[in-house]
Amino acid sequence: QEQLVESGGGLVQAGGSLRLSCAASGRTFSSYTMGWFRQAPGKEREFVARINWRGITTYYADSVKGRFTISRDKGKNTVYLQLNSLTPEDTAVYYCAASPRDIPMTSEYDYWGQGTQVTVSS
């Protein structure tokens, strides 16, 4: 019943931008931390960014800090990830996830979306 659905991925040239969306259904996730992760082919899943919906605080991986921005629209029950200054190294499937903890580890995210593909050309 509860699910997260990502959208907004696609093909973009290096230096370009995309805006990913994560729509929640079945529950509001209003008290959950929401995170974005990504996984490139042959690589392990890595943390990208998170936003705490209670304190509305954000945290980013060093690799994306200053380029990506996580935000949310509580009324739409949706979380966004703005991707700017994209490079081929950003190519991956991007996943959103929800956790009941304020500062969760990867294993503490209880709900995951199906992912959306981001491909950055040289």
Side-chain angles (χ1 to χ4, degrees):
Q1 293 180 346
E2 302 87 357
Q3 64 177 359
L4 304 171
V5 180
E6 303 94 333
S7 62
L11 176 65
V12 64
Q13 189 174 356
S17 63
L18 287 171
R19 192 186 195 194
L20 308 182
S21 298
C22 174
S25 62
R27 66 189 302 163
T28 64
F29 293 98
S30 60
S31 63
Y32 278 65
T33 294
M34 304 298 297
W36 283 96
F37 295 79
R38 66 186 182 185
Q39 187 169 21
K43 304 294 184 180
E44 293 185 345
R45 181 177 57 195
E46 65 174 335
F47 167 80
V48 175
R50 69 170 184 259
I51 182 168
N52 187 299
W53 282 23
R54 289 184 177 179
I56 316 179
T57 56
T58 60
Y59 184 79
Y60 299 89
D62 289 340
S63 60
V64 306
K65 190 173 184 179
R67 299 189 298 120
F68 293 4
T69 303
I70 187 171
S71 62
R72 57 87 171 173
D73 187 327
K74 187 176 180 180
K76 294 182 178 180
N77 202 23
T78 301
V79 179
Y80 304 95
L81 185 68
Q82 179 69 41
L83 316 178
N84 294 330
S85 302
L86 286 164
T87 73
E89 289 73 29
D90 296 314
T91 295
V93 176
Y94 284 70
Y95 300 89
C96 66
S99 172
R101 294 200 61 189
D102 289 338
I103 310 176
M105 299 184 296
T106 301
S107 62
E108 294 174 321
Y109 286 85
D110 297 331
Y111 302 93
W112 292 82
Q114 87 291 343
T116 185
Q117 177 71 47
V118 171
T119 302
V120 184
S121 62
S122 300

